[in-house]
């Protein structure tokens, strides 16, 4: 049923030093030379994995948006000694009145691992733009955190999203998270583009590495929502150890408000937050024509009201436009199905992970091909999104540093370094985007772009236009 099995170590990335910028057809290949070494996972006794003190203390506390519009939060945490309580006590800043919300608990087995008690509690009917404190746990081992609700959904509400993908739990991961936290352009909510713990790389996919990951990221995600996307490392599928339910650890540990957007599965859903409409897609669930995800997206896109939420953002794990020799063309089958809609509905930006490097595309589309007409190359298209690969969180698999040459025209900027990004919406026409590599000081921007909204201000915002 669950034999001990050594997981095959995936191909180790060749330790080649990045070539300096070469003349090419496309945009910029950064000449920044990063040491290609990768750091291993932080050891189990690391400070960031410390179990909070006290009997049955809540750990791995994390929050995400709990409804369609940002007036609810899902609070999740784990207790290990006993079930404890599913209650969240919460109160607005400066208010002495404490509200109580009751949640649920679950647990699961994975091979020879048994999880702790995983609690999920939706806190509803919050006021917009308000700081709330919340408390979980019972007796003398309660823990208190806080979050700030977003402003009311509306067209000119400034809001800053952070972006991290493929984080894992190495020393590099810790650097990425620290840089995100210390970035002076403070992210208020994080858009996470998939591949969380990389626990599945351990023998028997040792799920204690899900617990360490939960404790590692708590310092951020207990205080601001992370909007979750599922990646291939969330599949956790291994027939040889009898684990054949896709997404088992992920879906027990990370609840999302998918029913609020009429989704029928937690892997694709949408939320509105401030001036943004965020659509999360699943690269690892069926997406072909007539699939549940297909029908959901088909009904979803016409609902986006750009007068209410000007900014249309899509998250997925596997990128459609990528010019690294890693996962090359893996997003192609999904692109073929959905790209015409992205152009029709003028998606502003698509964020993906999976490739452990950074890349930003031009506004391009590739939707003209009909098998016989030969029109199969991407072309410049002002109604198309910018595609950004931000899978550079720093996980144990190391950097993707082998790029296709010459740099394709659709690629505006690419660099094999770990880092994170922020997307700062200013109003309905302008958003400022910047990417930060880990080697730099916290405020340094290694790549940046002013985004002009595709609905309200659809003029050329390319950074490389001649
Ligand atoms: C919690 O309370 C119990 C019983 O009152 C006590 O034995 C224990 O030391 C306390 N734990 C902490 C962390 O204060
Ligand atoms: C709460 O109190 C603090 C300190 O007195 C004050 O700065 C803050 O504006 C108050 N917040 C609200 C929502 O009243
Ligand atoms: C699961 O089995 C592996 C291999 O025998 C062992 O190293 C590990 O400690 C076991 N884990 C648990 C929780 O029993
Ligand atoms: C992780 O980063 C934090 C913040 O910079 C630091 O306090 C901590 O010691 C680091 N832990 C490890 C294991 O590197
Ligand atoms: C979900 O479906 C119901 C019933 O068809 C509809 O009333 C509701 O408006 C839908 N919600 C969203 C967010 O589309
Ligand atoms: C779109 O949103 C605007 C602003 O909130 C609102 O006035 C308008 O009625 C909405 N349109 C539709 C079709 O719901
Ligand atoms: C880069 O990838 C290409 C295509 O997969 C491969 O042929 C080449 O050997 C790789 N180069 C290095 C240095 O790994
Ligand atoms: C929107 O924000 C941009 C960038 O901050 C600014 O230049 C522009 O004037 C703003 N538009 C309006 C209508 O305020
Ligand atoms: Fe991935």
């Amino acid at each position: 049923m669950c034999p001990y099995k050594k997981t095959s170590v995936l191909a180790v990335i060749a330790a080649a030093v990045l070539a300096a910028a070469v003349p090419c057809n496309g945009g910029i290949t950064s000449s920044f030379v990063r040491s290609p070494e990768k750091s291993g996972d932080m050891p189990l006794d690391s400070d960031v994995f410390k179990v909070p003190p006290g009997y049955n203390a809540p750990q791995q506390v994390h929050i995400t948006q709990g409804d369609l519009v940002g007036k609810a939060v899902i609070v999740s945490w784990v207790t290990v000694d006993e079930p404890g309580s599913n209650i969240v006590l919460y109160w607005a800043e400066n208010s002495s009145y404490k509200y109580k919300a009751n949640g649920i608990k679950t647990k699961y087995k994975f091979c020879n691992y048994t999880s702790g008690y995983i609690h999920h509690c939706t806190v509803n009917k919050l006021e917009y733009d308000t700081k709330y404190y919340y408390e979980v746990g019972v007796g003398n081992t309660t823990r208190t955190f806080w979050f700030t609700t977003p402003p009311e959904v509306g067209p000119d509400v400034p809001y800053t999203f952070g972006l991290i993908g493929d984080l894992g739990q190495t020393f590099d991961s810790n650097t990425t998270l620290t840089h995100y936290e210390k970035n002076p352009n403070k992210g208020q909510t994080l858009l996470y583009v998939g591949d969380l713990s990389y626990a599945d790389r351990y023998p028997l996919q040792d799920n204690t590495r899900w617990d360490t990951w939960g404790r590692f990221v708590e310092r951020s995600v207990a205080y601001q929502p992370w909007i979750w996307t599922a990646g291939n490392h969330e599949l956790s599928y291994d027939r040889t150890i009898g684990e054949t339910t896709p997404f088992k650890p992920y879906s027990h540990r990370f609840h999302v408000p998918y029913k609020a957007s009429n989704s029928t599965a937690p892997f694709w859903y949408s939320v509105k937050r401030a001036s943004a409409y965020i659509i999360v897609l699943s690269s690892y669930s069926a997406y072909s024509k007539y699939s549940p995800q297909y029908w959901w997206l088909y009904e979803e896109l016409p609902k986006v009201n750009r007068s209410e939420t000007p900014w249309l953002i899509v998250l997925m794990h596997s990128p459609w436009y990528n010019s690294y020799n890693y996962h090359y063309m893996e997003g192609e089958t999904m692109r073929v199905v959905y790209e015409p809609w992205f152009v029709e509905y003028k998606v502003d930006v698509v964020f993906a992970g999976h490739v452990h490097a950074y890349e930003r595309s031009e506004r391009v589309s590739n939707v003209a091909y009909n098998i016989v007409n030969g029109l199969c190359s991407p072309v410049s298209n002002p109604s198309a999104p910018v595609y950004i690969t931000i899978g550079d969180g720093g996980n144990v698999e190391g950097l993707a540093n082998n790029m296709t040459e010459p740099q394709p025209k659709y690629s505006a900027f690419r660099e094999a370094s770990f880092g994170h990004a922020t997307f700062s919406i200013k109003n309905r026409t302008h958003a400022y985007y910047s990417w930060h590599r880990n080697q730099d000081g916290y405020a340094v921007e290694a790549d940046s772009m002013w985004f002009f909204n595709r609905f309200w201000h659809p003029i050329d915002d390319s950074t490389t236009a001649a």
Side-chain angles (χ1 to χ4, degrees):
M1 177 66 185
C2 167
Y4 177 82
K5 171 181 159 284
K6 214 171 157 67
T7 51
S8 60
V9 177
L10 297 179
V12 174
I13 289 157
V17 174
L18 261 183
V22 288
C24 57
N25 296 340
I28 296 161
T29 294
S30 170
S31 60
F32 184 88
V33 177
R34 184 192 185 275
S35 147
E37 276 128 48
K38 56 182 176 175
S39 66
D41 276 350
M42 293 179 281
L44 290 172
D45 60 359
S46 298
D47 51 2
V48 292
F49 297 151
K50 233 183 154 122
V51 175
Y55 174 75
N56 210 36
Q59 54 167 279
Q60 306 173 48
V61 178
H62 53 93
I63 63 171
T64 197
Q65 184 161 322
D67 67 354
L68 195 61
V69 295
K71 295 185 83 171
V73 164
I74 301 172
V75 180
S76 306
W77 70 97
V78 174
T79 54
V80 296
D81 302 311
E82 56 173 272
S85 158
N86 299 327
I87 288 172
V88 173
L89 269 183
Y90 61 101
W91 60 97
E93 183 182 34
N94 304 347
S95 160
S96 54
Y97 192 83
K98 294 192 177 178
Y99 298 90
K100 210 184 252 191
N102 209 344
I104 54 140
K105 67 174 173 296
T106 182
K107 65 190 298 183
Y108 70 94
K109 284 185 192 302
F110 192 96
C111 197
N112 65 345
Y113 166 92
T114 304
S115 76
Y117 302 94
I118 303 169
H119 307 259
H120 301 286
C121 178
T122 303
V123 173
N124 277 310
K125 299 195 178 109
L126 300 169
E127 297 295 326
Y128 283 120
D129 220 356
T130 302
K131 182 171 179 180
Y132 285 91
Y133 290 87
Y134 68 99
E135 182 184 299
V136 288
V138 283
N140 56 5
T141 39
T142 60
R143 298 180 69 207
T144 302
F145 305 87
W146 62 85
F147 57 79
T148 303
T149 51
E152 183 170 4
V153 171
D156 292 300
V157 187
Y159 204 75
T160 299
F161 293 99
L163 288 140
I164 291 181
D166 305 69
L167 183 61
Q169 45 191 303
T170 69
F171 291 94
D172 287 322
S173 319
N174 195 34
T175 306
T176 302
L177 186 56
T178 302
H179 277 240
Y180 174 59
E181 293 169 311
K182 300 213 167 147
N183 187 334
N185 182 19
K186 290 266 167 250
Q188 295 167 279
T189 290
L190 188 96
L191 306 178
Y192 193 90
V193 293
D195 281 1
L196 283 60
S197 74
Y198 289 75
D200 60 340
R201 292 186 49 95
Y202 282 81
L204 307 181
Q205 303 200 14
D206 184 359
N207 273 219
T208 56
R209 280 288 176 173
W210 275 106
D211 294 313
T212 53
W213 196 80
R215 296 197 292 269
F216 161 47
V217 296
E218 182 191 88
R219 72 185 205 230
S220 172
V221 69
Y223 300 92
Q224 63 167 247
W226 287 24
I227 307 295
W228 302 109
T229 311
N232 55 306
H233 286 277
E234 277 65 72
L235 280 165
S236 308
Y237 172 90
D238 188 347
R239 186 189 53 79
T240 66
I241 60 171
E243 289 298 347
T244 55
T245 306
F247 302 112
K248 193 203 267 182
Y250 173 71
S251 51
H252 279 85
R253 291 168 183 272
F254 298 91
H255 279 195
V256 298
Y258 66 98
K259 288 178 185 158
S261 56
N262 282 348
S263 169
T264 50
F267 314 113
W268 59 89
Y269 63 100
S270 66
V271 294
K272 302 181 204 181
R273 199 165 179 88
S275 40
Y277 201 106
I278 297 152
I279 293 181
V280 177
L281 295 180
S282 176
S283 302
Y284 305 99
S285 305
Y287 46 73
S288 59
K289 195 162 186 180
Y290 313 126
S291 65
Q293 183 168 208
Y294 175 94
W295 284 126
W296 177 80
L297 186 60
Y298 173 83
E299 292 179 352
E300 186 65 10
L301 286 164
K303 289 181 195 163
V304 182
N305 178 348
R306 303 294 272 270
S307 297
E308 186 192 32
T309 50
W311 294 92
L312 179 51
I313 299 172
V314 177
L315 312 181
M316 62 179 66
H317 186 62
S318 188
W320 294 356
Y321 287 96
N322 155 37
S323 72
Y324 286 83
N325 283 317
Y326 301 83
H327 306 303
Y328 188 63
M329 287 182 76
E330 283 181 20
E332 193 64 5
T333 49
M334 189 196 243
R335 184 189 66 74
V336 167
V337 186
Y338 294 151
E339 191 182 23
W341 291 346
F342 281 24
V343 174
E344 180 184 351
Y345 289 97
K346 298 185 163 53
V347 171
D348 289 294
V349 58
V350 176
F351 293 105
H354 202 36
V355 178
H356 301 158
Y358 173 70
E359 185 163 26
R360 174 172 57 81
S361 83
E362 303 289 357
R363 293 196 182 276
V364 289
S365 68
N366 191 3
V367 294
Y369 186 50
N370 73 354
I371 302 215
V372 292
N373 64 3
L375 302 175
C376 51
S377 296
V379 293
S380 176
N381 186 334
S383 296
V386 169
Y387 293 89
I388 291 175
T389 302
I390 185 84
D392 56 347
N395 68 72
V396 71
E397 291 174 354
L399 275 175
N401 55 6
N402 181 345
M403 304 171 183
T404 67
E405 300 296 353
Q407 184 170 14
K409 276 202 174 87
Y410 61 75
S411 174
F413 182 96
R414 56 185 188 174
E415 182 181 316
S417 291
F418 294 136
H420 77 278
T422 57
F423 190 83
S424 281
I425 297 171
K426 306 295 181 190
N427 52 37
R428 73 183 68 192
T429 54
H430 287 65
Y432 187 71
Y433 166 79
S434 61
W435 174 66
H436 303 259
R437 67 165 85 85
N438 287 355
Q439 288 73 27
D440 295 333
Y442 300 124
V444 177
E445 298 170 355
D447 181 40
S448 65
M449 171 175 166
W450 274 103
F451 272 74
F452 299 156
N453 187 273
R454 287 302 95 188
F455 183 86
W456 291 101
H457 194 49
I459 63 169
D460 188 4
D461 57 4
S462 165
T463 55
T464 50

